[in-house]
Amino acid sequence: MAESKLIKEFKGRDVQRMRNIMTKDYGAKTSVQVGYNKDHIEYKEGDVWEVDGKSWTIKNGLKQTVTRFDKLKQLVAMPLCCPKCKVPMQDHRPNKLMYSIHQICFDCVIKHETKLKLTGEYEKYERNIISQGVQYHIKEMEGVLLELLMDQSDESFVTEAGDIETWKGKGIDVNKTTQEIQEYIQKLKDAIAT
């Protein structure tokens, strides 16, 4: 019988690949490369890093970008189960409303408020909730009024007839009005605090 010769010669990387397969190290390198080598940093679940001005994180094992809306999404998104009682929260209006305010389901809010009524603490709780709502609206009103006031100017325009018209801010003293608005809002805040 004639002796058969191996037609192909094994190279070093082929042998190394077989060693890697035998040792179950499937991702190991089979050759040495000379040249540019990028630094590789291993990140774990929850790590946040920045590359070229863009933030990244790892959530549930997946690499994801971090956006400025992530916190807002967490506040708005209603979970499948109530964080307090672990009962599934169906997608109906009372659960959505109570979760947006209290971060728990409608039934848990009812149970909590019933306990407060039985202990006589409900009136204090109710005043606190109303006070927080009023404070929020005062803050919003202050922002809107001051923004509108800053948009006021004394720009003049020439009409087709040749008349000069001032459209915004006619006769408004911006500094004085800003101070009056802030004083009025402070009076509202003081009234709530008492």
Side-chain angles (χ1 to χ4, degrees):
M1 186 173 225
E3 190 176 303
S4 66
K5 291 186 175 183
L6 186 60
I7 297 173
K8 184 177 177 185
E9 184 179 326
F10 288 109
K11 296 183 179 172
R13 68 173 181 221
D14 297 327
V15 174
Q16 185 62 42
R17 179 70 181 144
M18 292 308 275
R19 284 184 188 140
N20 292 344
I21 290 173
M22 296 298 285
T23 60
K24 298 183 180 180
D25 191 8
Y26 304 112
K29 295 181 180 180
T30 58
S31 62
V32 176
Q33 182 177 354
V34 179
Y36 175 75
N37 195 8
K38 184 178 178 184
D39 291 337
H40 181 72
I41 301 171
E42 289 291 325
Y43 295 103
K44 296 180 270 232
E45 184 78 21
D47 288 348
V48 178
W49 68 97
E50 192 169 316
V51 176
D52 297 328
K54 193 171 189 179
S55 296
W56 295 86
T57 187
I58 296 181
K59 291 182 184 175
N60 300 325
L62 300 174
K63 181 178 167 185
Q64 300 177 358
T65 59
V66 177
T67 65
R68 60 183 176 166
F69 299 115
D70 284 347
K71 291 181 182 177
L72 179 64
K73 288 177 189 176
Q74 289 175 350
L75 288 174
V76 174
M78 188 171 73
L80 296 174
C81 296
C82 173
K84 188 173 183 179
C85 68
K86 307 297 183 214
V87 172
M89 295 195 334
Q90 280 121 14
D91 195 22
H92 58 61
R93 186 172 165 84
N95 277 339
K96 282 183 179 179
L97 180 63
M98 290 301 129
Y99 186 76
S100 68
I101 297 170
H102 300 284
Q103 305 300 309
I104 53 177
C105 71
F106 179 73
D107 292 335
C108 288
V109 171
I110 296 298
K111 290 174 186 174
H112 176 70
E113 289 180 354
T114 303
K115 287 178 185 176
L116 291 174
K117 285 181 181 178
L118 292 174
T119 60
E121 298 175 6
Y122 182 77
E123 289 78 21
K124 181 180 176 185
Y125 166 80
E126 184 179 33
R127 280 193 307 267
N128 187 28
I129 294 288
I130 292 171
S131 174
Q132 287 175 352
V134 171
Q135 288 173 356
Y136 173 78
H137 287 293
I138 287 173
K139 185 177 178 182
E140 287 290 311
M141 182 180 71
E142 179 181 23
V144 169
L145 289 175
L146 292 175
E147 185 177 321
L148 286 173
L149 192 59
M150 291 300 136
D151 286 343
Q152 298 299 319
S153 65
D154 291 326
E155 294 183 28
S156 299
F157 299 95
V158 179
T159 64
E160 292 176 3
D163 298 330
I164 298 175
E165 293 183 0
T166 302
W167 289 3
K168 290 185 185 179
K170 188 172 185 178
I172 294 178
D173 182 4
V174 176
N175 293 331
K176 181 181 176 188
T177 309
T178 302
Q179 184 179 0
E180 289 173 357
I181 289 173
Q182 288 175 338
E183 288 173 2
Y184 178 70
I185 289 174
Q186 188 58 45
K187 285 180 185 177
L188 290 176
K189 290 178 180 178
D190 292 342
I192 291 173
T194 58

